[in-house]
Amino acid sequence: MVSLMQNILSDPKLLESFESYLLRNHTRHLEHNLLFIEALSQLRHENDSKKVEAMLHRIYNTFLAPRAKLKLKDVTTSEQVREDINAVSWSIVSQEDAAEILKDTEEEVLATLTSKLDEFARAKNLNIEPSPDTHTKDRRVRVAIIGGGFTGFTVASILDRMPLFNVILIDTKDSFEYTPGIVKRIVHPERSSTMRVRHDAYVQNGKVIIGYAEDIGDDARSVRVNDETIHFDYLVIATGSSYTSELKSTDISSIYRLSGLDQVNSELVQAKRVLIVGGGLVGCELASEIASSTFPGHYPKKQVTLVESHPNVLSRSKPEQQEKAMQYLIDELGVEVICNERIIDIMDIGTHNRYIGSSGREYNTYDKVFMATGTRPHSQLLLKATNEPHLDTCVDGWGHIRVKPTLQIEHWKYTHLFAGGDVTNIVEEKTGYAATLAGVCIARNICRLVKGKPPLRQGTKGTLPAPDKPLHGVMVDSGCQLQGGKQKLKVLKKHLGFLNPAWAALKRYDEQQYLQMVQGEGTTSPTFGRLPRRLTLPNIRDYTAAVSSFR
């Protein structure tokens, strides 16, 4: 049963089909059961104890609490789970502890899904088993991409459209999430889109696997995911990074993700005082949006405090930009900005946490706290890979993957491994735009290697260089427009102009428009640099020899 469920969870088409089946058969509440199982899968792959505890509380509040938004039906364990969570409130909760607390609930949920899963398989005449590896039969060049953020999304979007390539995208989510829309979604959910593009909407000729890459082996020619071995000719590691807050997500389902963001918005609406830790681009944007907005309820205007460890907000920007940002936040919006202050400890005092600053000041009267700092690169796959020779030497002391200027992983033996985006050690502002540029460079270099040409250094021959300043990026007046996609910029300039039009530019578009831009459709300028030429399957003898040389 668990194996059957895992196979459904790993295939976005099967997952959508099963969800639709439940809805058509008037068993909508069972869709919540399915989301619960997805949330448990996410929990089991999280090793950060602080995140584990937050996930546990979120699962309870979402599925089991008396007023849960996605309330589970026919489950008898809600009260016991609440008591167990209270019992460990003063302990460090491990992944195993959380799974044990939810074990009985999981068994009941799986029991209610069993009959429907069997009915679904019979109705669709499905044999839901992992397909045999056909890598020896497929003539196409196999490109495995781990991570469906901006870099993975970009490489997959470009290469999947070429008949030469068989793209296998592996991600923990069923969709690409357009993160420039997160702040807007949190503050003004009624004005925002879903922010997500399902992976199988742009990977149409390859394969999408929802799951966690567990190991790399076979002389760095295969990756293990969901107990299945995926062979590849080229590998792109685009696993990104995570915040300690809700600003980035590994939620499998869009429904679960949006329910979480709705909960954040509800907490924000009810808050009187808001604390934001981190005065970079995201922290400043969040402070700006909240302070300039009017909310429903008892507290239409929020008292916002922004804490930054550096002498100024936007610490990597030019002094005049920093001054402009400080003036806008303090003088125009009334945000309390505290610089040279680092949060060094967080103490649980019941209904609120107490945040201790390096100056000795305590921040303990805030109703909602956003952590907009402390990104953590996701390089664990290389650190724990059993491949010989080892791959952990490619990870630096900060957890970033070392890459060459060509974005090939810095390894003495392998030239077919690439990495891009937040997970790399490239000195750049880690934004979606920078990750997109990396994706274009990687796609071009894979094409060049297949053709027997040397890879390009990023920033040469039509590839755009990594943006080394936080406000470098797509300029509003650069001419990049989509048919029907240009929006009035008055609101953007009003609320984000203090940062820079470069940062505001990505917020002109939604996720569907961005996909078109990456694929080179509807643009009037090379927004992300020159895309690779389309490669098809050649009908020549040399092709077999060329493919064999890197298999």
Side-chain angles (χ1 to χ4, degrees):
M1 173 62 192
V2 175
S3 175
L4 181 63
M5 178 62 69
Q6 181 58 61
N7 289 328
I8 287 181
L9 291 178
S10 66
D11 187 319
K13 287 186 172 64
L14 274 178
L15 185 59
E16 182 190 34
S17 183
F18 184 49
E19 289 173 348
S20 298
Y21 177 82
L22 293 177
L23 290 174
R24 285 197 308 270
N25 288 272
H26 308 291
T27 51
R28 182 175 181 83
H29 65 279
L30 288 185
E31 183 186 5
H32 299 171
N33 290 33
L34 190 59
L35 294 175
F36 174 82
I37 297 299
E38 294 175 9
L40 273 185
S41 174
Q42 178 185 354
L43 174 68
R44 286 196 169 97
H45 287 88
E46 180 56 62
N47 296 315
D48 186 329
S49 60
K50 292 181 180 179
K51 282 201 165 187
V52 166
E53 186 173 0
M55 285 180 176
L56 177 60
H57 282 274
R58 182 184 170 196
I59 288 173
Y60 173 77
N61 290 329
T62 303
F63 298 104
L64 297 167
R67 296 184 179 180
K69 187 170 184 178
L70 303 177
K71 183 76 171 177
L72 299 180
K73 299 293 180 66
D74 305 322
V75 168
T76 64
T77 58
S78 300
E79 185 60 28
Q80 184 60 53
V81 170
R82 187 185 66 81
E83 293 177 1
D84 290 344
I85 291 176
N86 289 337
V88 298
S89 59
W90 295 97
S91 307
I92 297 176
V93 181
S94 68
Q95 172 203 109
E96 293 77 13
D97 294 333
E100 183 63 29
I101 289 174
L102 297 169
K103 179 181 178 181
D104 292 342
T105 307
E106 180 183 21
E107 290 177 355
E108 290 191 9
V109 167
L110 286 174
T112 62
L113 286 173
T114 301
S115 61
K116 291 301 177 184
L117 270 174
D118 292 341
E119 289 177 14
F120 170 71
R122 288 196 301 271
K124 297 292 183 179
N125 195 26
L126 296 176
N127 178 24
I128 309 176
E129 295 294 336
S131 57
D133 191 349
T134 58
H135 70 280
T136 58
K137 301 177 182 179
D138 197 331
R139 297 177 59 209
R140 296 179 297 169
V141 177
R142 302 157 302 180
V143 180
I145 303 169
I146 303 175
F150 278 90
T151 298
F153 164 80
T154 301
V155 177
S157 297
I158 294 171
L159 297 186
D160 182 73
R161 290 149 57 92
M162 301 186 189
L164 179 63
F165 295 104
N166 177 18
V167 171
I168 306 103
L169 178 64
I170 302 165
D171 193 25
T172 60
K173 310 179 298 297
D174 67 357
S175 308
F176 161 71
E177 182 169 279
Y178 191 64
T179 51
I182 290 293
V183 170
K184 181 179 178 182
R185 184 64 177 74
I186 289 174
V187 180
H188 298 293
E190 72 284 354
R191 301 180 193 171
S192 67
S193 65
T194 63
M195 302 184 308
R196 284 195 167 196
V197 179
R198 277 185 39 153
H199 292 316
D200 55 1
Y202 60 92
V203 180
Q204 299 181 350
N205 303 303
K207 182 179 182 180
V208 176
I209 300 175
I210 304 173
Y212 290 80
E214 298 156 358
D215 196 11
I216 297 174
D218 297 326
D219 200 22
R221 291 292 178 180
S222 72
V223 60
R224 192 77 177 161
V225 56
N226 297 342
D227 296 325
E228 182 181 0
T229 299
I230 305 298
H231 294 269
F232 55 78
D233 301 307
Y234 293 94
L235 175 67
V236 180
I237 299 179
T239 43
S241 64
S242 62
Y243 275 108
T244 53
S245 70
E246 307 91 344
L247 299 175
K248 285 192 176 182
S249 168
T250 57
D251 293 350
I252 296 175
S253 164
S254 298
I255 296 174
Y256 188 46
R257 171 58 163 159
L258 292 177
S259 72
L261 293 176
D262 287 342
Q263 178 61 33
V264 175
N265 172 258
S266 177
E267 294 169 359
L268 178 59
V269 168
Q270 297 173 38
K272 180 179 181 180
R273 305 187 70 217
V274 178
L275 174 65
I276 299 170
V277 180
L281 283 172
V282 175
C284 286
E285 181 193 356
L286 191 57
S288 168
E289 285 288 346
I290 294 174
S292 62
S293 299
T294 301
F295 295 85
H298 297 295
Y299 307 110
K301 287 295 183 181
K302 310 301 179 185
Q303 299 175 29
V304 180
T305 299
L306 179 68
V307 175
E308 166 58 38
S309 60
H310 291 90
N312 291 287
V313 297
L314 305 178
S315 59
R316 293 183 295 276
S317 302
K318 295 179 180 180
E320 55 267 28
Q321 200 68 46
Q322 297 172 353
E323 183 180 352
K324 187 176 180 181
M326 289 283 282
Q327 181 180 6
Y328 178 76
L329 289 170
I330 297 172
D331 297 341
E332 296 191 34
L333 297 181
V335 175
E336 180 187 15
V337 179
I338 302 172
C339 293
N340 291 313
E341 176 81 305
R342 184 181 299 274
I343 299 299
I344 60 175
D345 195 15
I346 302 175
M347 300 179 64
D348 189 343
I349 57 174
T351 56
H352 292 86
N353 285 334
R354 183 169 61 185
Y355 295 80
I356 311 299
S358 54
S359 66
R361 176 173 171 176
E362 295 185 5
Y363 303 85
N364 58 2
T365 58
Y366 292 90
D367 308 299
K368 181 60 183 175
V369 178
F370 291 96
M371 302 296 291
T373 185
T375 57
R376 181 184 62 178
H378 291 165
S379 57
Q380 298 90 336
L381 179 62
L382 293 188
L383 292 173
K384 66 182 182 181
T386 59
N387 186 77
E388 292 287 348
H390 294 308
L391 300 172
D392 57 354
T393 56
C394 303
V395 181
D396 68 18
W398 297 97
H400 292 99
I401 297 176
R402 295 187 178 97
V403 294
K404 302 173 184 177
T406 57
L407 300 185
Q408 292 164 296
I409 290 178
E410 203 169 82
H411 192 276
W412 63 270
K413 180 179 182 181
Y414 302 124
T415 60
H416 65 292
L417 307 180
F418 290 83
D422 288 10
V423 76
T424 70
N425 69 333
I426 293 290
V427 179
E428 62 185 356
E429 184 66 18
K430 298 298 185 180
T431 63
Y433 177 66
T436 303
L437 298 186
V440 172
C441 180
I442 290 171
R444 283 195 64 185
N445 279 340
I446 290 175
C447 290
R448 290 179 66 87
L449 289 175
V450 168
K451 292 187 291 186
K453 295 182 177 181
L456 300 172
R457 296 169 61 97
Q458 185 179 4
T460 63
K461 294 190 176 181
T463 61
L464 298 185
D468 58 359
K469 295 179 181 179
L471 301 177
H472 175 95
V474 186
M475 298 305 296
V476 169
D477 298 323
S478 66
C480 57
Q481 299 176 13
L482 294 168
Q483 185 65 34
K486 187 175 181 180
Q487 304 172 6
K488 291 184 178 180
L489 299 178
K490 290 182 180 179
V491 175
L492 291 176
K493 289 180 178 178
K494 178 180 178 182
H495 296 308
L496 298 176
F498 76 100
L499 292 174
N500 192 279
W503 180 246
L506 290 184
K507 307 188 186 292
R508 293 175 59 182
Y509 307 104
D510 63 22
E511 60 282 352
Q512 296 291 342
Q513 293 167 336
Y514 200 79
L515 171 60
Q516 294 176 36
M517 291 171 65
V518 168
Q519 294 179 335
E521 298 177 357
T523 59
T524 59
S525 69
T527 308
F528 304 119
R530 187 189 306 160
L531 301 182
R533 291 187 177 92
R534 180 181 173 87
L535 299 182
T536 59
L537 275 168
N539 189 22
I540 54 175
R541 295 178 182 177
D542 294 341
Y543 176 75
T544 302
V547 171
S548 299
S549 69
F550 52 76
R551 285 197 175 173

